Amino acid sequence: MKRRNVIKSLSILPFMGSMVTKAATHTTAVKQSPALKRDLFKELGVTPVINASVTMTFLSGSLMLPEVLEAINSTSHDFANMFELQDKVGAKIAEMLHCEAAMVTSGASCAILLGTAACITGTDAEKIKMIPNLPGPRAEVIMQKSHRYLFDQAITTTGAKIVEVESAADMAQAINSNTVMALFFNAAEKSSITHEEFLKVAKARNIATFLDAAADVPPVENLFKFQKMGFDLVTFSGGKMIRGPQSAGLLFGRKDLITAARLNHSPHEAPIGRPMKVNKEEMFGMYAALKSYIERDHKKEWEDWLQRAKKIGGKLETLPTVKTKTHVDPGPSNAFPSLFVTWDQSKIKIQPKEVLVALKNGTPSIVANAKGETLVVGVVLLRPDQIDVVANRVNEILQKALVT
Ligand SMILES: *Cc1c(COP(=O)(O)O)cnc(C)c1O
């Protein structure tokens, strides 16, 4: 070091000493006052929303748990080989879910697409390269007519055609040499073929079965139920009640199909699933979320949800004519409690729909639901500190509309 520089560095030493002390104090100060933190919502003018509804993609799914954020943050400082990571994460998830194999996808929709692609291509490199433009007759996927839904576009994106059936006999008849898969939408309002019949018909003809249970936890048991029942592939969203990254999901089941699904996915450069990449941190995050979800005290969590509903209900019932009731959705999707609120609209002159608008337009913005003359206040996605905020805001809006 040149003398001049030595003097320079020496001269800053005392100053540096004081900086360290200052920095330490500053860090403590930041911790105590979150207002000093960089607020990106504010910086970009994005409105933070309180979700008094259910998990919805347009509302950013769910809030990741601290252990998921920790998994993302703590793994972000090193590179990893993505093939190895998917191997290891997949094996661990498969072990946790008592099935042969598993992978992290960029959501349940991606899982449906990759599962279908896997059933079409197997491990055939040529087919993987050509999909969705395979020569010859189109691959066929069987679905019940009453199970058709928006998400089945993930099936046809592979080039496959959906064949609708109504009865088990229909289904047996529809199977031919082009049939590659049969998809069961678990949360469909109506099924004309039961899970058992569906599996029986498909298995008799060696057709792969796929069950979409994207939003079907709680109960936690559903994570194990359908592979045990005999479905070859099952998907759940990562960013719903499992509270993993919104852009992650689970695909699990038969090993040969997961191998084929992975060949149709990133990090391979060209397959149909390449644009549905999952990053390293999301894979670690999905694993952490699933582990946390499985190990959670579900009874305690349920009890907490009921308490939340009771607390908000108690506050609202102090208003004349307001009646509240805890409603548990029978599922299979969104099978958890929420609060139903009704009132005499000649005494409180506002409709549930108008309450929703007022909630949305207030600060902080709150999203709730309405079912006809009932206001539906979701409780499961609220942060603990938001329970009172929601109760007070609904109370305030109803109070204002009270005829005196
Ligand atoms: C949410 C949902 C999907 C899509 O899941 P993503 O994880 O958002 O891709 C698919 N199917 C059903 C039944 C769903 O509820």
Side-chain angles (χ1 to χ4, degrees):
M1 205 186 260
K2 282 194 181 134
R3 204 185 92 93
R4 206 165 49 124
N5 287 343
V6 172
I7 293 170
K8 238 192 188 166
S9 32
L10 279 177
S11 69
I12 64 165
L13 267 178
F15 174 63
M16 268 185 65
S18 77
M19 265 204 5
V20 170
T21 330
K22 265 210 187 116
T25 325
H26 185 69
T27 314
T28 327
V30 166
K31 262 195 189 140
Q32 280 163 355
S33 159
L36 286 178
K37 271 196 202 153
R38 184 176 182 186
D39 184 345
L40 284 141
F41 273 93
K42 214 169 179 178
E43 196 169 315
L44 296 176
V46 176
T47 312
V49 177
I50 293 180
N51 188 352
S53 179
V54 295
T55 56
M56 288 178 291
T57 291
F58 92 93
L59 259 192
S60 64
S62 57
L63 298 181
M64 286 184 274
L65 293 161
E67 52 269 42
V68 177
L69 293 170
E70 166 67 19
I72 288 172
N73 195 22
S74 66
T75 56
S76 65
H77 308 287
D78 288 294
F79 290 90
N81 178 308
M82 294 303 285
F83 292 106
E84 183 197 1
L85 179 58
Q86 186 74 284
D87 279 349
K88 303 267 165 77
V89 163
K92 196 73 194 169
I93 291 174
E95 186 191 316
M96 287 157 76
L97 296 179
H98 313 154
C99 59
E100 287 177 15
M103 67 184 291
V104 180
T105 66
S106 65
S109 276
C110 172
I112 295 168
L113 182 141
L114 291 179
T116 309
C119 292
I120 295 171
T121 65
T123 56
D124 186 323
E126 274 308 300
K127 285 185 179 169
I128 290 168
K129 203 169 154 192
M130 278 190 282
I131 198 174
N133 299 307
L134 285 171
R138 285 171 75 184
E140 294 179 10
V141 172
I142 289 176
M143 281 183 80
Q144 299 182 48
K145 197 172 177 185
S146 62
H147 284 202
R148 291 299 308 273
Y149 61 162
L150 287 172
F151 292 108
D152 65 36
Q153 191 169 14
I155 296 171
T156 51
T157 302
T158 64
K161 172 169 97 181
I162 293 168
V163 176
E164 292 179 3
V165 298
E166 286 186 74
S167 67
D170 263 5
M171 182 176 169
Q173 194 145 48
I175 295 174
N176 64 67
S177 58
N178 299 322
T179 310
V180 294
M181 192 180 95
L183 184 128
F184 198 105
F185 168 28
N186 196 48
E189 263 174 41
K190 207 173 123 267
S191 292
S192 48
I193 308 172
T194 63
H195 292 81
E196 290 78 9
E197 284 176 320
F198 192 87
L199 285 167
K200 198 171 149 195
V201 174
K203 291 217 181 292
R205 302 286 295 277
N206 211 16
I207 299 301
T209 49
F210 188 121
L211 182 113
D212 173 5
D216 299 354
V217 286
V220 64
E221 289 79 17
N222 279 357
L223 281 174
F224 309 94
K225 184 174 171 183
F226 303 105
Q227 59 275 42
K228 209 167 149 195
M229 209 180 247
F231 281 92
D232 296 309
L233 289 171
V234 180
T235 185
F236 283 87
S237 288
K240 291 179 182 165
M241 293 302 280
I242 299 175
R243 297 185 61 182
Q246 188 191 10
S247 48
L250 299 168
L251 176 63
F252 56 89
R254 238 168 69 190
K255 192 172 177 98
D256 61 320
L257 292 177
I258 296 297
T259 302
R262 282 185 57 187
L263 290 171
N264 278 285
H265 196 216
S266 174
H268 296 284
E269 283 82 5
I272 190 163
R274 172 59 190 240
M276 297 148 218
K277 185 192 277 184
V278 181
N279 74 28
K280 167 177 62 88
E281 291 80 3
E282 287 170 325
M283 287 195 191
F284 281 115
M286 190 64 243
Y287 160 70
L290 181 66
K291 186 167 160 59
S292 161
Y293 186 72
I294 290 174
E295 290 172 0
R296 187 163 321 157
D297 184 341
H298 294 274
K299 233 172 120 180
K300 196 170 145 221
E301 185 177 61
W302 189 270
E303 206 46 55
D304 176 49
W305 291 338
L306 294 177
Q307 283 305 319
R308 290 167 169 221
K310 203 172 154 189
K311 191 167 183 204
I312 299 172
K315 171 103 190 169
L316 299 179
E317 284 193 355
T318 59
L319 290 166
T321 79
V322 170
K323 287 196 176 63
T324 68
K325 182 178 93 179
T326 302
H327 173 81
V328 177
D329 194 298
S333 63
N334 301 324
F336 40 69
S338 55
L339 186 72
F340 278 15
V341 188
T342 51
W343 55 89
D344 179 345
Q345 286 183 30
S346 68
K347 298 285 183 329
I348 298 179
K349 279 194 168 311
I350 190 166
Q351 290 172 16
K353 269 192 197 137
E354 297 168 313
V355 175
L356 295 188
V357 174
L359 284 170
K360 184 169 177 280
N361 293 339
T363 309
S365 182
I366 299 172
V367 172
N369 282 315
K371 240 186 206 163
E373 299 305 303
T374 305
L375 176 71
V376 182
V377 180
V379 297
V380 302
L381 299 174
L382 300 178
R383 288 196 324 247
D385 60 295
Q386 293 173 337
I387 299 164
D388 284 338
V389 177
V390 170
N392 290 337
R393 280 281 301 288
V394 177
N395 189 66
E396 207 177 280
I397 292 163
L398 295 180
Q399 176 108 47
K400 239 193 213 161
L402 187 62
V403 181
T404 46

